[in-house]
Amino acid sequence: MPSVSDELHKEKYDQFKLEEWVKGFWEDNNIYQLVKEKSMRSDKKFYFLDGPPYASSTVIHIGTAWNKVIKDTILRYYRMKGYNVWDQPGFDTHGLPIEVKIERELGVSSKKDIVDVIGVERFIGECKRFVDTSIKAMTSQFKELGVFMDWDNPYITYKDEYIEAGWWLIKRAWEKGLLYRGVQVHHWCPRCETTLADYEVSEYRELEDPSIYVKFPVKGREKESLLIWTTTPWTLPANAFVMASPNIMYARVRVGDEVLIMAVPRIERVMKEAGISNYEVLEEFSGEELEGIEYIHPLEDLVDAQKTLAPYHRVVLAPEAVTAHEGTGLVHSAPGHGDIDFKVNSAKVGAPVVSLVDDQGRMTRESGKYHGLYFRTEANKAIIEDLKRMGALFYESRVVHRYPVCWRCKTPLVLRATRQWFIKVTQLKSKLIQEADKIRWQPDWAKTRFVNLLREVRDWVISRQRFWGIPLPVWVCSKCGYTHVIGSVDELVEMGGEKPKELHRPWIDRVTLKCPKCGGEMHRVPDVLDVWFDSGVSFYASLGYPRRKLWEDMKPVDFITEGHDQIRGWFFSLLRSGVIGFDEAPYRSVLVHGFALDEQGREMHKSLGNYVDFNELISRVPRDVIRFWVMQTTVWEDLRFSWKGLDEMKRVFNIIWNTYTFASTYMSLDKYDPTRTGLDAVWSSLEVEDRWILSRLNRLIARYHEAMEDLRPHDAARMLKSFIIDDVSHWYIRLVRRRVWIEEDAPTKNAAYATLYHVLRTLLVLMAPFTPYTSEYLYQKFVKPAEDNARASVHLEELPEAREDLIDDELERDMEIASQIVEAVAAARNAAGIKLRRPVKRVIIAPVEEEVGRRIMRMERVIKEMANTKTIEIVGPEFFEEARIYRVEPNYRELGPSFKKLTPKVAEVISSRQEEVAKSIISEGTYKAEVDDVSVVIERRHVNIKAYYPEWLSVKETSLGIVGVDTRLEKSEIMEGLAREVVRRIQAMRKEMNLPVNAFIEAWVTGDSEILEAVRELKSYVENETRSKQLHIGEEGPGNAFSREWEVDGKRVTIKILLAE
RNA sequence: GGGCCCGUAGCUCAGCCAGGUAGAGCGCCCGGCUGAUAACCGGGCGGUCGGGGGUUCGAAUCCCCCCGGGCCCA
């Protein structure tokens, strides 16, 4: 016969051990496989797509842990709701950060070294080895957290099948005319020797640069120059034109025997900076008048490239590029080295785009004299010297400003125009916005943010001049220039290529094709793809599309969740790929989560010393505690990491444990069998608190589902916590305690067992997605032994649906009121110094409305028990009014000014005629008296009125009404109180002797006569409570008995105990 | 410089969308309970709801500006 086992309460609680045990249990019994198999039998699909973490570290960030816990909780929820859940994890593996790490490991620092010293083949091998190590380490940490995903079958972006899937999209883009090669100005890292996309330019440093004012002589005018300002002298050799604004006023300013042209609002600043006080503004005019003025470039003779640029040297109007806030209002423009310059040039000038800096950051041959010099250092220096020598330098100083550096190697970046491959995303803009609108965003503002970004979308530079990435599948004929994009390995072979060992560089670089146009040899463009491309195609690539057709059955992705940085990142790249490849958004709903910050709300950084190491965390805090704690945070807000917060959560688990051991202690004692004595069997014996907790439970279930389906798992987590702590532990268990202490087989006890068992069992299942370890453990130890038909694991259970018929609003309101009344009584007792142990004769309540009174009386039994009162009386407010005693005190601040010299005597009257004065002032507002033959009128303001209740009545006023406790002692209550004191002490002694709760004893009580009388009077009560077979009053007892002397209210008593046979 | 989010007690946070007497847990102090006991109950201390302005009879809540923090851009 199954019954609740006694295993739980025999064991010392240790959450770490518990989790270790569960981990072993899952492994030994293949629980994940069972869960997965069960899920796969369902035909309701739930396609979850894991945003792949970047596999560049062996220790995960706290934020990554949170991310996976959120995912796991939601996946578990949907599995337990009977869905066929796709739970494949992913890893993002390509890209520059990993290349840089490997370069460091191998001790090289340039692309040349990778090719010549290391060899690309070995380099790629090292990248792969590094990634594999990271994946292994990360996987084991995710498993530690109890994350149930298909860890044996992750999608990994460097696999050939994945690369091939990536090619497919490039081919799609090409077929749709979205792929193009173009020149654009981008940031370039001269160390990594690759272009960086806008979003990769994320780091800035405070760097020092020259700040120079340079004179560009105006053609055909003696000693007259345009004055320009720049902090990048190295761009001057590539100067093509000068920009001015039509919205700014300019002036010709005489300085010495020269005339300088500059913006009016800048004159004073510039002159001051240059230390020139003697200057004269000759003439002011609108910027428009500058248009077309030609100038001579001061370095014209030193720079070869200037020969082609000279014809364009004139002033161009470009209000978007010129401000009156800095410089001179005249901006030197080098289309090959500036974004705006490039745009203005294409729109208005059409000069050749010249970049005079090479891949390594050195000046090119075309820069003439400066050939070979490094741009920010050597070239700057040489150029400034030449300008000075030629008299073209107006003023020179240094400036410290924010300058972009490479996000991986911190090398200052250079802006330069290069030829790159693009996808014309701008053409898809309206479609992107339209598709974004169909997606469910939680929270709402994520959508706003997303659409804001889409409005500013730019074409996407997909090419990178690196090694560790998906090779760009573009082949170009070396003879006729014909370009072809390859969409698959099969196509590669069809085109005459040989299938390489793997699709990475360098193997793929060796594959040549035969040009279908001219028969010439086609070579691959040596670029690889931007690493953001990789994860963007995961929605189909992880499923092996197009080689396999699973995506077509599974689409769209039902759910994704990542941090809010991914609004711009992955959420965007997925949508972009979805629209390029399939003309639609690939996912249906998004949950955005926050960042894991430190206690002060700052970002965690190893360099800031506030970094919390995952391994430290997991060794200090049990996994479920971490999980349940992080899940309490409003998902889309930032998580403030807190050791203290985690400690608090440990206590919650302690209470959960205590709750289950409480139940198991008594249920096992009585061999309670939930399969025989279930809720149905005890239905008619349910007490009001039983019906109440069942109502609460079902309300919880309903709200829990609402929260989970609305992607508010934190709300569900909070509800679970408050249900178990507040409703079950703090209230329900307190209420049923006495019922489970009953010895015999009473219906009310069985009703309590059945209810408690049902509640705790259901709760385990509801908790399982959040606290998989604890739920499993309690399921194995508490549920399993009691139910023959229990599942192998709690994770194979199905989530219950709420039983609406058990939700009773009225009852819950009644209980709410009862609890408030009990609270008020406790406060009143406390004020009067009456212990809860001592019963009181009556509690008197004047409710604010009759309704409340009725509710109180419906809960009479509960209130009487919890408040330890013999009776409850409902009275009208007049009861308290009549009992109230008023006292008045003289208010000297008001008395003084009114009565001057009489003040002391008036005060005397007030103090001596208390009641009389108080009554009069309350009813009439004044009190009239004769003082030294003078009539005085004492007003309300002259006194402070205080209300008191008589000694015997302790009162607490509440929003429900006035609650009074009659504190008068009658002999019977005193007796009962004393008896209870003795009981308590016997219990303490039993505990000290380590007696089992159900053991019987024999006891002897001697000492104070009043106490003995009380015990004699309530003998059977004492015997019952303490499980005493025999209670000897006034007898010494044997010497071998366990003995203790006590003092109760100043009275001595000696108690002896022996274990009865 | 722009977009979005956050700012409430010493700490962690709820309340804000749908305006109506500022809440919980923890911590601290005092008291109680002692058959869940590293649990539990009551009371107290503690708040310019980041600051300022506006709308309103009434604002933590709605609007505007500013400050601090976060993310993403420029």
Side-chain angles (χ1 to χ4, degrees):
Chain A
M1 273 260 278
S3 73
V4 171
S5 118
D6 60 351
E7 264 187 84
L8 277 189
H9 69 266
K10 285 203 305 207
E11 177 180 330
K12 193 168 153 39
Y13 173 53
D14 181 338
Q15 183 73 22
F16 283 106
K17 259 195 208 155
L18 176 161
E19 291 176 357
E20 267 324 301
W21 184 90
V22 172
K23 210 177 147 197
F25 171 83
W26 285 343
E27 276 162 24
D28 297 345
N29 297 281
N30 289 321
I31 298 303
Y32 171 73
Q33 282 72 20
L34 295 178
V35 166
K36 177 93 182 154
E37 279 160 26
K38 172 173 178 281
S39 175
M40 286 194 323
R41 283 195 292 272
S42 167
D43 51 11
K44 291 188 287 181
K45 71 115 186 171
F46 186 81
Y47 179 12
F48 162 74
L49 181 62
D50 188 27
Y54 197 62
S56 68
S57 163
T58 49
V59 182
I60 62 173
H61 189 271
I62 303 299
T64 313
W66 184 25
N67 168 284
K68 277 290 193 290
V69 168
I70 294 168
K71 291 171 177 172
D72 185 56
T73 302
I74 288 175
L75 295 188
R76 285 177 183 277
Y77 174 81
Y78 278 97
R79 277 197 211 98
M80 291 178 81
K81 270 196 75 161
Y83 281 84
N84 184 343
V85 171
W86 187 259
D87 60 0
Q88 181 184 36
F91 291 95
D92 203 5
T93 58
H94 280 139
L96 197 51
I98 287 166
E99 287 199 41
V100 171
K101 276 210 159 116
I102 301 304
E103 281 183 53
R104 287 209 186 116
E105 269 183 28
L106 298 175
V108 296
S109 59
S110 75
K111 269 163 76 177
K112 196 167 175 297
D113 285 348
I114 295 172
V115 177
D116 297 344
V117 181
I118 306 294
V120 177
E121 196 165 326
R122 183 179 157 215
F123 186 73
I124 293 297
E126 289 295 321
C127 288
K128 203 177 291 178
R129 178 199 50 75
F130 173 80
V131 164
D132 287 341
T133 310
S134 298
I135 290 177
K136 208 174 152 204
M138 290 168 88
T139 298
S140 91
Q141 287 158 63
F142 293 145
K143 282 185 177 172
E144 275 297 302
L145 283 167
V147 177
F148 268 18
M149 285 196 191
D150 196 356
W151 296 113
D152 295 336
N153 304 294
Y155 73 86
I156 296 172
T157 56
Y158 77 63
K159 299 286 184 188
D160 272 359
E161 193 182 58
Y162 198 97
I163 290 174
E164 198 185 4
W167 285 2
W168 178 84
L169 194 78
I170 299 292
K171 174 119 197 184
R172 284 287 287 169
W174 185 56
E175 285 165 352
K176 287 179 158 184
L178 295 170
L179 184 72
Y180 70 94
R181 193 173 184 203
V183 172
Q184 249 194 33
V185 174
H186 282 104
H187 284 280
W188 176 278
C189 176
R191 196 215 64 89
C192 301
E193 293 177 46
T194 184
T195 189
L196 299 173
D198 300 332
Y199 52 78
E200 287 174 297
V201 182
S202 54
E203 267 198 70
Y204 291 79
R205 290 281 156 91
E206 295 290 325
L207 294 181
E208 193 183 279
D209 271 312
S211 161
I212 58 172
Y213 293 88
V214 182
K215 293 181 285 191
F216 283 6
V218 174
K219 231 181 210 173
R221 297 268 201 140
E222 272 303 297
K223 301 242 175 215
E224 183 166 331
S225 304
L226 302 167
L227 188 67
I228 65 100
W229 172 74
T230 184
T231 58
T232 52
W234 57 270
T235 60
L236 287 172
N239 170 270
F241 53 93
V242 166
M243 300 184 285
S245 170
N247 310 324
I248 296 175
M249 290 300 287
Y250 289 80
R252 294 170 68 234
V253 183
R254 190 189 54 76
V255 178
D257 61 347
E258 281 185 285
V259 174
L260 301 175
I261 297 171
M262 62 197 294
V264 173
R266 302 303 305 164
I267 297 174
E268 210 180 305
R269 259 312 290 282
V270 171
M271 291 304 163
K272 199 176 162 197
E273 196 187 335
I276 293 168
S277 51
N278 186 14
Y279 62 89
E280 186 189 350
V281 177
L282 301 175
E283 149 184 46
E284 294 190 6
F285 48 87
S286 154
E288 283 175 41
E289 291 178 36
L290 285 169
E291 188 173 17
I293 291 182
E294 294 178 19
Y295 63 89
I296 299 156
H297 193 290
L299 304 175
E300 220 167 53
D301 298 336
L302 304 175
V303 175
D304 298 352
Q306 278 295 324
K307 288 190 185 74
T308 52
L309 293 171
Y312 300 92
H313 289 342
R314 58 187 163 82
V315 176
V316 173
L317 294 181
E320 68 272 30
V322 182
T323 79
H325 303 300
E326 62 171 18
T328 61
L330 290 173
V331 178
H332 124 74
S333 182
H337 293 296
D339 190 24
I340 282 202
D341 312 52
F342 181 85
K343 283 182 189 153
V344 171
N345 182 55
S346 339
K348 301 180 180 169
V349 183
V353 176
V354 173
S355 274
L356 297 180
V357 177
D358 71 9
D359 290 0
Q360 289 91 34
R362 298 196 173 275
M363 303 299 285
T364 61
R365 193 173 298 282
E366 276 195 294
S367 70
K369 185 183 173 191
Y370 308 108
H371 178 210
L373 302 181
Y374 195 74
F375 75 109
R376 268 189 77 250
T377 52
E378 299 159 349
N380 272 356
K381 199 170 159 221
I383 290 164
I384 292 169
E385 271 168 20
D386 286 338
L387 290 171
K388 210 182 282 174
R389 193 164 43 76
M390 289 185 284
L393 188 70
F394 174 68
Y395 181 70
E396 175 200 3
S397 68
R398 311 281 297 174
V399 63
V400 175
H401 59 167
R402 279 176 86 228
Y403 192 91
V405 297
C406 177
W407 59 302
R408 290 320 309 171
C409 66
K410 316 304 175 194
T411 305
L413 302 176
V414 52
L415 271 169
R416 62 196 280 262
T418 51
R419 287 176 76 79
Q420 300 289 346
W421 291 84
F422 293 82
I423 290 180
K424 210 179 285 170
V425 184
T426 46
Q427 191 177 308
L428 307 171
K429 192 194 225 173
S430 58
K431 181 69 179 166
L432 288 169
I433 294 172
Q434 189 189 327
E435 287 300 309
D437 194 54
K438 294 180 187 163
I439 298 163
R440 164 82 213 289
W441 295 88
Q442 179 66 295
D444 298 337
W445 55 256
K447 183 178 187 169
T448 311
R449 207 162 136 175
F450 194 69
V451 172
N452 284 346
L453 291 167
L454 292 180
R455 286 191 219 285
E456 288 166 31
V457 80
R458 308 214 308 186
D459 282 353
W460 178 19
V461 205
I462 54 168
S463 50
R464 296 290 184 279
Q465 290 67 48
R466 295 296 307 189
F467 305 99
W468 181 234
I470 297 182
L472 185 70
V474 176
W475 271 258
V476 178
C477 175
S478 51
K479 215 164 127 194
C480 72
Y482 172 72
T483 300
H484 187 82
V485 175
I486 294 292
S488 69
V489 173
D490 291 346
E491 189 182 352
L492 195 70
V493 174
E494 274 166 33
M495 293 277 294
E498 198 177 320
K499 191 184 170 191
K501 182 172 159 250
E502 60 178 270
L503 300 184
H504 278 118
R505 298 185 74 183
W507 302 279
I508 192 70
D509 297 339
R510 296 172 195 147
V511 178
T512 56
L513 308 179
K514 197 174 156 207
C515 178
K517 294 277 168 267
C518 73
E521 201 174 60
M522 299 184 82
H523 292 272
R524 195 184 73 84
V525 170
D527 296 346
V528 296
L529 293 174
D530 172 14
V531 64
W532 273 106
F533 179 90
D534 296 27
S535 59
V537 300
S538 56
F539 64 92
Y540 71 87
S542 67
L543 303 182
Y545 187 89
R547 202 163 269 275
R548 285 177 283 131
K549 301 300 176 195
L550 192 52
W551 162 247
E552 284 162 9
D553 301 333
M554 300 251 299
K555 74 179 180 185
V557 173
D558 290 291
F559 172 68
I560 53 178
T561 179
E562 302 298 332
H564 45 66
D565 55 332
Q566 299 304 332
I567 293 175
R568 178 62 193 220
W570 193 53
F571 302 153
F572 174 56
S573 68
L574 280 178
L575 177 68
R576 186 171 55 191
S577 304
V579 169
I580 293 169
F582 303 92
D583 303 307
E584 62 185 7
Y587 52 95
R588 206 196 299 255
S589 74
V590 183
L591 172 62
V592 175
H593 70 74
F595 264 56
L597 307 176
D598 75 358
E599 317 232 29
Q600 280 79 45
R602 301 189 180 259
E603 209 184 334
M604 283 192 204
H605 269 306
K606 278 172 189 156
S607 58
L608 288 175
N610 60 357
Y611 191 83
V612 177
D613 183 88
F614 179 79
N615 290 320
E616 188 194 353
L617 173 64
I618 205 110
S619 67
R620 276 173 67 174
V621 185
R623 305 149 174 107
D624 273 357
V625 175
I626 298 170
R627 289 181 62 120
F628 205 42
W629 181 73
V630 298
M631 288 308 291
Q632 305 280 321
T633 299
T634 305
V635 177
W636 45 84
E637 286 178 16
D638 291 343
L639 170 83
R640 286 211 187 182
F641 185 85
S642 158
W643 291 108
K644 229 173 104 185
L646 286 161
D647 279 342
E648 280 177 30
M649 188 50 83
K650 281 183 198 164
R651 300 171 56 148
V652 170
F653 278 75
N654 205 342
I655 294 174
I656 294 175
W657 177 265
N658 280 332
T659 303
Y660 282 84
T661 49
F662 170 82
S664 98
T665 303
Y666 295 102
M667 289 176 186
S668 63
L669 222 52
D670 283 324
K671 302 259 177 301
Y672 170 68
D673 176 0
T675 59
R676 276 172 48 133
T677 319
L679 266 186
D680 291 337
V682 301
W683 202 254
S684 56
S685 311
L686 289 184
E687 303 279 354
V688 59
E689 63 265 27
D690 302 329
R691 287 189 292 110
W692 172 79
I693 195 72
L694 291 173
S695 175
R696 296 294 295 160
L697 176 70
N698 283 284
R699 188 181 296 279
L700 167 75
I701 296 171
R703 290 192 178 159
Y704 169 95
H705 286 301
E706 273 168 33
M708 292 306 284
E709 269 147 43
D710 195 35
L711 298 177
R712 291 178 283 110
H714 53 283
D715 280 338
R718 289 171 190 165
M719 285 182 241
L720 288 168
K721 180 181 152 195
S722 112
F723 177 76
I724 186 155
I725 301 297
D726 300 332
D727 291 345
V728 178
S729 172
H730 290 181
W731 195 244
Y732 181 71
I733 288 194
R734 258 172 87 204
L735 280 172
V736 297
R737 240 186 325 206
R738 299 208 73 83
R739 288 164 61 196
V740 307
W741 293 344
I742 298 169
E743 293 288 338
E744 63 275 15
D745 189 30
T748 184
K749 179 172 73 177
N750 286 328
Y753 280 165
T755 308
L756 186 58
Y757 185 86
H758 173 77
V759 168
L760 293 183
R761 189 206 195 283
T762 308
L763 192 59
L764 282 186
V765 179
L766 295 172
M767 291 281 289
F770 292 86
T771 57
Y773 288 100
T774 312
S775 278
E776 183 72 280
Y777 192 83
L778 294 173
Y779 189 82
Q780 297 303 326
K781 305 287 182 175
F782 182 68
V783 172
K784 204 69 153 300
E787 295 181 26
D788 282 338
N789 296 328
R791 316 280 171 95
S793 159
V794 70
H795 303 294
L796 293 164
E797 287 270 345
E798 251 136 63
L799 288 168
E801 286 300 326
R803 276 190 58 183
E804 298 288 341
D805 58 314
L806 295 183
I807 299 177
D808 187 337
D809 294 341
E810 288 303 304
L811 177 59
E812 287 189 34
R813 177 76 188 133
D814 288 354
M815 191 61 95
E816 175 67 32
I817 283 172
S819 117
Q820 284 180 36
I821 295 295
V822 169
E823 197 176 299
V825 171
R829 294 179 81 110
N830 195 49
I834 306 168
K835 299 172 176 181
L836 186 58
R837 212 181 297 135
R838 209 202 80 197
V840 295
K841 198 176 154 71
R842 56 175 185 155
V843 163
I844 306 134
I845 305 166
V848 284
E849 53 189 52
E850 275 179 50
E851 172 72 14
V852 172
R854 280 196 295 275
R855 289 183 187 277
I856 289 170
M857 290 322 284
R858 278 206 291 269
M859 291 289 121
E860 191 180 4
R861 205 198 84 246
V862 169
I863 297 171
K864 274 159 86 171
E865 201 171 300
M866 301 301 280
N868 197 15
T869 178
K870 298 287 175 198
T871 59
I872 295 171
E873 282 174 39
I874 300 294
V875 298
E878 66 283 354
F879 175 89
F880 288 96
E881 258 155 50
E882 280 160 20
R884 211 172 278 145
I885 300 164
Y886 292 99
R887 286 178 198 276
V888 282
E889 283 169 7
N891 180 2
Y892 287 99
R893 184 172 302 185
E894 294 290 338
L895 284 174
S898 298
F899 302 110
K900 312 283 191 227
K901 264 186 268 172
L902 281 179
T903 301
K905 297 204 169 160
V906 177
E908 165 78 37
V909 168
I910 294 170
S911 302
S912 58
R913 300 184 203 166
Q914 282 292 340
E915 295 262 335
E916 206 182 328
V917 177
K919 265 186 193 149
S920 174
I921 286 181
I922 287 164
S923 58
E924 280 147 49
T926 56
Y927 178 77
K928 297 192 180 77
E930 298 281 316
V931 177
D932 286 357
D933 298 332
V934 180
S935 285
V936 297
V937 178
I938 301 168
E939 296 169 30
R940 175 67 187 82
R941 64 189 169 101
H942 293 130
V943 296
N944 296 324
I945 303 176
K946 287 186 177 167
Y948 294 88
Y949 290 97
E951 276 292 299
W952 62 271
L953 187 63
S954 182
V955 171
K956 171 80 184 177
E957 300 196 12
T958 75
S959 60
L960 292 175
I962 306 171
V963 178
V965 173
D966 185 342
T967 64
R968 284 173 292 197
L969 290 174
E970 305 245 338
K971 187 151 185 203
S972 63
E973 278 86 50
I974 297 173
M975 290 283 172
E976 212 175 295
L978 286 173
R980 237 170 128 164
E981 295 281 0
V982 171
V983 166
R984 197 205 110 201
R985 280 157 178 89
I986 294 176
Q987 307 292 31
M989 289 171 71
R990 287 181 61 115
K991 187 140 208 154
E992 211 173 328
M993 292 166 73
N994 255 330
L995 295 184
V997 276
N998 57 340
F1000 286 99
I1001 57 164
E1002 190 170 356
W1004 292 263
V1005 185
T1006 52
D1008 181 87
S1009 60
E1010 206 178 332
I1011 291 179
L1012 295 189
E1013 191 195 339
V1015 176
R1016 201 169 286 128
E1017 194 73 29
L1018 293 148
K1019 187 162 181 241
S1020 63
Y1021 161 76
V1022 176
E1023 282 174 343
N1024 246 324
E1025 289 287 304
T1026 60
R1027 296 179 78 93
S1028 300
K1029 277 197 163 166
Q1030 280 191 321
L1031 180 62
H1032 310 272
I1033 302 160
E1035 288 175 39
E1036 270 305 314
N1040 64 339
F1042 183 69
S1043 172
R1044 266 285 124 91
E1045 275 194 38
W1046 301 91
E1047 210 184 278
V1048 178
D1049 292 347
K1051 307 171 181 76
R1052 297 203 150 270
V1053 62
T1054 303
I1055 301 172
K1056 290 185 182 175
I1057 293 180
L1058 270 185
L1059 182 62
E1061 286 88 61

